Amino acid sequence: MKVLVFSTVFPNAVQSTHGLFVYERIRHLARLADIRVVAPVSWRIRARARVPKRATIDAMAVYHPTFVYVPRVLKVLDGVWLFCSTLWTVWR
């Protein structure tokens, strides 16, 4: 069984404790299925630190596409921008 997990809270090289509860659930699920994780990283975090676009954590492929948004402006469009920023990664 193949499972794609999409989460905006998942550990990465810079934020190692970000979303540990999601990571633990997915780690246990990985015993039963082939897991791929798409965990977008905001452009602000990517600009400040080097978060790899792809990583392997406990035999799970983790992809970190860049999530583009404008802080404090047009918050109603954040969902649309998240969709557009991650569409290519999810489609692959």
Side-chain angles (χ1 to χ4, degrees):
M1 172 173 44
K2 293 183 179 183
V3 177
L4 175 68
V5 176
F6 186 93
S7 178
T8 56
V9 288
F10 198 81
N12 59 51
V14 175
Q15 301 168 307
S16 60
T17 60
H18 187 63
L20 280 179
F21 62 96
V22 175
Y23 165 74
E24 284 299 319
R25 288 181 180 186
I26 302 309
R27 185 174 63 87
H28 291 290
L29 181 63
R31 297 179 192 157
L32 305 172
D34 178 23
I35 304 288
R36 309 261 190 231
V37 179
V38 176
V41 175
S42 75
W43 65 270
R44 296 176 72 186
I45 292 172
R46 188 163 314 273
R48 283 184 282 174
R50 297 192 54 90
V51 177
K53 297 237 182 219
R54 185 182 189 286
T56 303
I57 301 173
D58 292 336
M60 292 183 290
V62 181
Y63 301 92
H64 296 291
T66 304
F67 166 39
V68 179
Y69 71 99
V70 181
R72 297 186 298 266
V73 179
L74 299 173
K75 296 304 285 178
V76 71
L77 294 177
D78 279 359
V80 173
W81 288 332
L82 179 63
F83 173 78
C84 292
S85 297
T86 59
L87 181 62
W88 177 252
T89 304
V90 171
W91 182 72
R92 280 188 312 147

